[in-house]
Structure formats: C-alpha cells, structure tokens
C-alpha cells in the first residue's frame, strides 16, 4: 500500500481520562452515513484542567489540517468543542436560555464515530461485552484516528473511533445507567416473609378513602353533536 501524501496525513492518538456521554458502541445510532452505512459513535467530556490531552488533540488537529490547507487551517471545523460555550439552549419562549447539557460545563468535548464495531475494554484491557457497563457518566479513554475531510466547501477535521477503554464508574448522567440494586431494594430474609397471610398494611382505611376522593377524576369524553339534517329542497 502506498504511503499517504502529506495532504492525507492521519494521526492515531489516545485521550486522557474523561467522562463518557452518548455511548453508541454496542448498537448503532439512528444516524447513517451518506451511503446508508450504520454509525457507531461516542462523546467524551474532557476536563479543562487536563492540559496534556487538550494539547495532544489540538496539536494533532493542527498538523493534519495544516498539511491539507496550510495557513487556512484555523478556518475549518475543529472536533474539539467548548462545553461552556455550547451548554445553553433556548427555551420554548424563544428567548430564555437554559443549560441543556450542564455536565459539559468546565469541559471540552469531542465526538468520535466509526462505521464498524470497535473493541470496548476494561482497565485490564479485557473486552467488555455487557452494554450496561458503558453508560453516560462512566469514565474512560478513547483511541481515535485524526483525519481531515472536505466536500464542496464543507471542510474540517474529524475523529474516527478505534477503541474505547472504560476506566472507572461514575455518576450517571441524565438518561444514563439504571440505579444500583443496593439503592432500590432491601435484602429480605426467608424468616421475614414466610407467610403471605401475615403481611398486613398499616394506616386507616378512611385516610385512603379521603385520598381517593380528592384525586382528580378522569372526565368522560364529550359526545359529538350530531350534524343538523339538511332540509329537503
């Protein structure tokens, strides 16, 4: 295979530890490529304090972009995005701003995608096969290929996903992992629940009746009025 020309420069890098968000690495997203190919993708939130990772990403972006566009490299799309600048969303009133993704505050973030499944590994570099293990909020690293793209003036640098490593659990983000069983249920011994007949409820039946009486009633659907009959000519 011929060596890549300078304009086709591609760099493989591995990020530092960040917060994983929107992981679609076991199943494809609803999005597809221009030719209809399925897409696997993931987002990584990188703390702004992690200067080493930020320098590596920006340095790689600059190298591949300069190789293709020279001094104009700053004018193309950059895959490293500022979470503080993009955290706001406009409310329904069209004016008020709110934090759409508050977890991005204090972070930069990157998106990486691939058209083929990639390996997802744990700290010991062993494959993870349970999709529940990789959830929004867990901590991990990404291995990505930094390369350019260009089509009819749509120029930029993007990241192709090579692999994912989960490093540690973390606080689940909205829509993330389900609560742990320890927080949902108590341990019930056999002695505590030998006879279903012994199970009783506490409280006054009158109190329950009052609550039910105050609950909003579902109104019956209104009957449509019959259309008036047309008079005979």
């Amino acid at each position: 295979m011929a060596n890549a020309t300078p304009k086709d420069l591609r760099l493989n890098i591995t990020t530092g530890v960040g917060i994983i968000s929107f992981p679609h690495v076991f199943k494809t997203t609803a999005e597809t490529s221009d030719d209809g190919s399925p897409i696997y993708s993931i987002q990584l939130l990188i703390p702004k304090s992690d200067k080493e990772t930020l320098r590596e990403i920006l340095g790689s972006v600059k190298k591949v972009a300069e190789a293709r566009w020279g001094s104009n490299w700053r004018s193309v799309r950059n895959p490293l995005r500022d979470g503080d600048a993009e955290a706001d969303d406009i409310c329904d009133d069209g004016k008020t701003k709110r934090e759409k993704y508050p977890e991005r505050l204090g972070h930069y973030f990157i998106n990486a995608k691939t058209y083929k499944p990639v390996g997802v590994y744990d700290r010991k570099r062993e494959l993870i096969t349970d999709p529940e293990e990789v959830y929004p909020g867990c901590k991990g690293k990404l291995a990505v290929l930094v390369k350019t793209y260009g089509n009819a003036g749509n120029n930029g640098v993007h990241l192709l996903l090579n692999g994912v490593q989960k490093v540690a659990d973390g606080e689940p983000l909205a829509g993330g992992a389900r609560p742990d069983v320890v927080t949902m249920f108590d341990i019930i011994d056999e002695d505590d629940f030998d006879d279903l007949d012994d199970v009783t409820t506490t409280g006054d039946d009158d109190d329950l009746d009052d609550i039910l009486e105050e609950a909003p009633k579902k109104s019956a659907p209104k009957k449509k009025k019959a259309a008036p009959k047309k008079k005979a000519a």
Side-chain angles (χ1 to χ4, degrees):
M1 182 177 176
N3 292 330
T5 64
K7 289 187 177 182
D8 296 326
L9 181 62
R10 305 177 181 190
L11 296 173
N12 286 301
I13 65 172
T14 299
T15 70
V17 178
I19 299 173
I20 287 176
S21 184
F22 298 105
H24 298 280
V25 288
F26 292 98
K27 291 184 179 180
T28 58
T29 67
E31 180 188 8
T32 59
S33 65
D34 294 338
D35 63 1
S37 300
I39 293 176
Y40 298 85
S41 66
I42 194 168
Q43 184 175 106
L44 187 71
L45 310 182
I46 305 165
K48 290 190 172 181
S49 58
D50 185 0
K51 305 297 184 183
E52 183 177 351
T53 293
L54 297 174
R55 276 195 295 266
E56 184 170 20
I57 294 174
L58 281 176
S60 300
V61 168
K62 180 181 178 182
K63 284 181 181 178
V64 300
E66 271 189 328
R68 183 163 181 173
W69 294 291
S71 60
N72 293 324
W73 75 272
R74 292 181 181 274
S75 63
V76 303
R77 291 181 180 272
N78 189 332
L80 185 65
R81 295 158 62 181
D82 189 340
D84 290 307
E86 300 193 31
D88 289 338
D89 185 34
I90 301 297
C91 293
D92 294 336
D93 61 10
K95 299 178 182 179
T96 310
K97 280 196 170 185
R98 62 185 171 195
E99 290 181 1
K100 185 177 181 181
Y101 299 111
E103 65 273 12
R104 291 180 181 173
L105 298 176
H107 297 78
Y108 284 98
F109 68 97
I110 56 174
N111 293 301
K113 64 182 180 180
T114 179
Y115 305 109
K116 296 180 180 179
V118 297
V120 182
Y121 304 92
D122 62 16
R123 295 175 65 174
K124 297 180 179 180
R125 294 188 297 187
E126 295 179 354
L127 276 173
I128 295 175
T129 57
D130 182 3
E132 295 288 334
E133 284 292 316
V134 182
Y135 55 87
C138 72
K139 298 177 182 180
K141 304 168 72 173
L142 304 184
V144 297
L145 175 67
V146 186
K147 68 184 295 288
T148 62
Y149 65 87
N151 183 20
N154 181 24
N155 301 323
V157 177
H158 61 176
L159 308 176
L160 298 183
L161 185 65
N162 285 331
V164 179
Q165 183 180 38
K166 179 185 174 182
V167 175
D169 287 311
E171 185 69 26
L173 304 178
R178 296 184 179 90
D180 189 89
V181 63
V182 174
T183 65
M184 292 190 294
F185 302 112
D186 296 325
I187 296 176
I188 300 176
D189 296 327
E190 291 184 8
D191 295 340
D192 297 334
F193 209 58
D194 283 337
D195 192 350
L196 288 174
D197 294 335
D198 292 338
V199 178
T200 59
T201 57
T202 59
D204 193 335
D205 288 344
D206 292 338
D207 292 341
L208 179 59
D209 292 338
D210 291 341
I211 294 172
L212 293 174
E213 185 63 30
E214 293 174 2
K217 305 296 189 298
K218 185 177 180 181
S219 57
K222 294 181 179 180
K223 294 182 179 179
K224 293 183 178 180
K225 294 183 179 179
K229 294 182 179 179
K230 294 183 179 181
K231 294 182 180 180

